Amino acid sequence: MNLDDLLTELQTLVDKYANGTPEGTTDDEAQQDEERMATLTQEIKRITTENENARTARAAALTNARSAIESGKAAVVSNVPLARSASATGGVVIDKTDYKAAYRRAWVKNVATRGGIQLADGNELNAVERAAFTHTTGNTDSVVPKEIQDEIISLIDNTAVLFGDASRSNLKNQFEIVRHKAIAAGDAGKTDEGAAPDYEQNSFDTISLVGEEIKKTVKMSRKMAVQSMDGFEQYIINEVAARLSVAANAFCHERLADETLGIDTANKIASAGVKKLSKADITKALSLLKTFGNPAAKGAIFYGNSDMIWNYLAMIEDGNNRSYFVDEKTDDPEVQGRIFGKLVKQDDSMADGTLLVGYPDLLKGNVFDGVDVQGYVATDGSQKHCFDGYLLYDCGLVVPKGFVQLTVKQS
């Protein structure tokens, strides 16, 4: 029985004899009830004493645990919220502080301090933040918390059209792409009954990617320089992502245009007519696409800026003056519609009069380092607060015939 049950039973017996011995109660029954009340009283007192001793012991243990945490003697376990900062079981003190959250706050304060920003919440690190920051940066420079990196990359993916669609790895050292250039002989074909197929001969080459630095600076006027910590963190995430997304996306297009890492020369074509596209131009572009059996789960996608989409692609009509382009919106704001069943995405990194179509899964990239953020105050006298976004990235087309570049003739 628990304490509540014991108290309930005792109260029932007390109420029974509140006005004397009830009529009809024998001496033996009265004696048994008296003995039961004595037993219940003793058990209630024992449990109450034990509970009080447990509360006293826990209070002392927590005091010792917090002291151990403050002095840095407690073992670190960073998997529970900050609100439950310490426990002591069996005489062993365990620090259960969420050091990931503490380091994230410390990193934001550190970037703000180096960038000359005075946060409304204060820039000083508390004891837990200082411990987390010192532990994480003991042998290295301040590193961006992974959660913040992931948020920046996610925002870049949502705004950098081609970069977001391309396949991406996160290997920190050498990264190689094996390019499937052609099936020289022995592709699948008809054979006589019982005859073995021809041996497939593929043409490959291997290219090492070493990474290219992508940098963009966010500048904040001194007038904007006082913010809350949460507001400043979100400002850094949004602004660094916005700057890097433009650069990262432009870099992917630069790689597609590269003679070595990009589109096969034979897949760079021009329209048959001047200053217009026809159905034949589009079908020709689609006919040149190859995957050579490499997985391309996203399928072929068209990329063009708003001028290309609405002044050229959407103007291709059938014999009844109906556009082949279907204005079909999706949850992806970059998608403007479809043509011949393929998605059409608006990509402002592209020049007027140029259309790309291809398999983005075949554009293989690797993030070697970053996203990183460094803060400082400009030395040109403007007193602007600057934050450099950095990304070490590289990519290449593993099947050079996996994309087609279609250019509209201008004369």
Side-chain angles (χ1 to χ4, degrees):
M1 297 178 69
N2 58 33
L3 183 60
D4 288 339
D5 293 335
L6 296 173
L7 288 170
T8 299
E9 185 180 351
L10 178 61
Q11 186 62 49
T12 299
L13 292 173
V14 169
D15 292 341
K16 180 179 179 180
Y17 292 93
N19 297 316
T21 303
E23 185 178 349
T25 302
T26 66
D27 292 341
D28 287 342
E29 289 175 344
Q31 180 66 30
Q32 289 175 2
D33 287 343
E34 184 178 352
E35 292 174 354
R36 181 57 180 166
M37 283 190 285
T39 300
L40 290 172
T41 302
Q42 185 177 1
E43 185 65 13
I44 290 169
K45 183 177 180 181
R46 182 188 66 79
I47 293 176
T48 303
T49 302
E50 287 181 356
N51 289 344
E52 181 62 31
N53 291 340
R55 284 193 292 271
T56 302
R58 176 170 174 75
L62 286 176
T63 299
N64 292 334
R66 292 192 179 99
S67 176
I69 292 170
E70 291 294 332
S71 64
K73 296 178 181 179
V76 174
V77 177
S78 56
N79 60 354
V80 297
L82 281 170
R84 296 169 56 193
S85 59
S87 71
T89 304
V92 178
V93 178
I94 300 175
D95 181 358
K96 291 189 176 181
T97 301
D98 187 349
Y99 280 100
K100 287 184 179 179
Y103 178 72
R104 179 168 178 161
R105 294 195 304 272
W107 179 85
V108 171
K109 290 181 178 180
N110 181 59
V111 170
T113 300
R114 285 189 291 159
I117 300 294
Q118 180 60 47
L119 299 176
D121 307 322
N123 289 33
E124 286 295 318
L125 305 185
N126 62 34
V128 174
E129 291 166 350
R130 189 176 299 107
F133 195 75
T134 302
H135 173 76
T136 306
T137 62
N139 299 314
T140 60
D141 293 332
S142 172
V143 294
V144 184
K146 184 179 183 303
E147 296 81 4
I148 290 181
Q149 280 191 341
D150 290 344
E151 286 182 49
I152 294 175
I153 285 289
S154 177
L155 286 174
I156 293 175
D157 282 343
N158 289 333
T159 53
V161 186
L162 186 57
F163 177 86
D165 285 344
S167 177
R168 185 166 62 243
S169 302
N170 293 90
L171 302 176
K172 295 303 179 184
N173 298 309
Q174 182 173 329
F175 183 78
E176 293 184 341
I177 60 171
V178 179
R179 298 199 309 164
H180 195 162
K181 303 183 71 175
I183 297 178
D187 198 0
K190 181 180 177 182
T191 65
D192 294 332
E193 183 178 355
D198 293 334
Y199 179 73
E200 182 174 301
Q201 299 177 35
N202 294 284
S203 175
F204 294 98
D205 64 3
T206 302
I207 297 177
S208 295
L209 301 180
V210 296
E212 297 289 339
E213 293 184 317
I214 299 173
K215 306 173 185 175
K216 282 292 179 178
T217 299
V218 176
K219 292 185 179 180
M220 178 190 294
S221 68
R222 181 172 181 177
K223 197 173 183 179
M224 297 172 60
V226 177
Q227 298 194 17
S228 68
M229 185 169 69
D230 290 341
F232 176 69
E233 176 184 312
Q234 200 57 51
Y235 173 87
I236 289 294
I237 291 171
N238 292 343
E239 295 301 315
V240 168
R243 300 299 190 273
L244 287 180
S245 64
V246 174
N249 203 56
F251 178 78
C252 287
H253 284 283
E254 180 184 323
R255 277 292 187 253
L256 283 184
D258 187 89
E259 293 183 1
T260 302
L261 293 168
I263 300 172
D264 188 288
T265 302
N267 278 29
K268 296 179 180 179
I269 61 176
S271 63
V274 176
K275 294 186 178 180
K276 69 176 183 178
L277 286 178
S278 67
K279 175 184 176 183
D281 293 325
I282 302 301
T283 55
K284 179 181 179 181
L286 291 171
S287 73
L288 293 173
L289 291 175
K290 305 289 184 185
T291 65
F292 297 129
N294 290 275
K298 296 184 184 75
I301 298 175
F302 284 90
Y303 298 90
N305 65 15
S306 58
D307 174 72
M308 167 56 70
I309 293 172
W310 300 109
N311 289 330
Y312 292 97
L313 206 58
M315 301 304 292
I316 303 174
E317 298 177 338
D318 63 15
N320 296 316
N321 296 324
R322 292 175 301 189
S323 175
Y324 286 105
F325 177 82
V326 179
D327 183 5
E328 180 182 313
K329 302 297 184 183
T330 70
D331 291 337
D332 185 348
E334 300 155 357
V335 174
Q336 302 302 301
R338 291 178 182 269
I339 188 167
F340 300 125
K342 313 297 183 187
L343 288 176
V344 177
K345 290 193 173 186
Q346 182 173 325
D347 191 333
D348 293 332
S349 293
M350 296 186 61
D352 290 348
T354 302
L355 182 70
L356 283 175
V357 58
Y359 300 99
D361 293 298
L362 303 182
L363 181 60
K364 302 288 186 180
N366 186 66
V367 175
F368 294 88
D369 189 19
V371 175
D372 191 20
V373 180
Q374 298 291 332
Y376 60 95
V377 179
T379 58
D380 58 3
S382 66
Q383 296 192 33
K384 287 185 176 179
H385 309 281
C386 306
F387 305 93
D388 285 347
Y390 176 89
L391 180 66
L392 186 61
Y393 175 76
D394 213 340
C395 64
L397 198 54
V398 296
V399 178
K401 294 182 183 295
F403 266 83
V404 171
Q405 176 183 295
L406 174 58
T407 303
V408 178
K409 285 183 182 177
Q410 297 301 308
S411 60

